[in-house]
Amino acid sequence: MAKDILGEAGLHFDELNKLRVLDPEVTQQTIELKEECKDFVDKIGQFQKIVGGLIELVDQLAKEAENEKMKAIGARNLLKSIAKQREAQQQQLQALIAEKKMQLERNSISLAILI
């Protein structure tokens, strides 16, 4: 009966018969919740470490992909440049051939006149 009156007043006895403001069940639940919260915070910390590592890995892969992309663009530009150089060289050689043909014709005419 005394416990009921104290319970109504918000006072309780624990397992050591000490007077407490909180109900022993609430105290136990509070301790369990505190432990669960600590476990949760630890797991969140581990998760953040894992995610941080993943982000670093993805950033590194993105940088490597960007480097490879730049290398590919450089190689493509070099290939285009080589093709243009060959085309220019081919035009020069065709012009030289035309010039030599003209010179051959002039020489042929000169020879025909002399003979």
Side-chain angles (χ1 to χ4, degrees), residues 22-84:
L22 288 176
D23 185 13
E25 289 180 27
V26 173
T27 304
Q28 183 62 30
Q29 290 174 352
T30 304
I31 292 170
E32 289 174 5
L33 180 62
K34 180 180 175 183
E35 290 173 2
E36 287 179 17
C37 288
K38 184 181 179 302
D39 291 342
F40 180 75
V41 168
D42 291 342
K43 288 179 182 178
I44 291 293
Q46 290 174 352
F47 179 74
Q48 286 178 333
K49 286 180 185 177
I50 291 169
V51 169
L54 180 63
I55 289 172
E56 287 179 16
L57 179 63
V58 169
D59 285 344
Q60 182 182 2
L61 290 174
K63 287 178 185 177
E64 289 177 13
E66 189 66 26
N67 287 339
E68 291 299 320
K69 179 181 169 184
M70 288 299 169
K71 285 180 185 178
I73 290 171
R76 183 179 63 197
N77 290 342
L78 180 62
L79 187 61
K80 284 181 182 178
S81 172
I82 290 172
K84 286 181 182 180

Side-chain angles (χ1 to χ4, degrees), residues 6-21:
L6 287 174
E8 289 176 8
L11 300 173
H12 304 280
F13 288 102
D14 65 3
E15 63 276 351
L16 300 175
N17 288 326
K18 289 188 176 184
L19 189 60
R20 302 287 178 188
V21 176

Side-chain angles (χ1 to χ4, degrees), residues 104-115:
L104 176 64
E105 246 184 74
R106 282 193 303 256
N107 289 342
S108 297
I109 293 172
S110 295
L111 180 64
I113 292 174
L114 291 176
I115 299 183

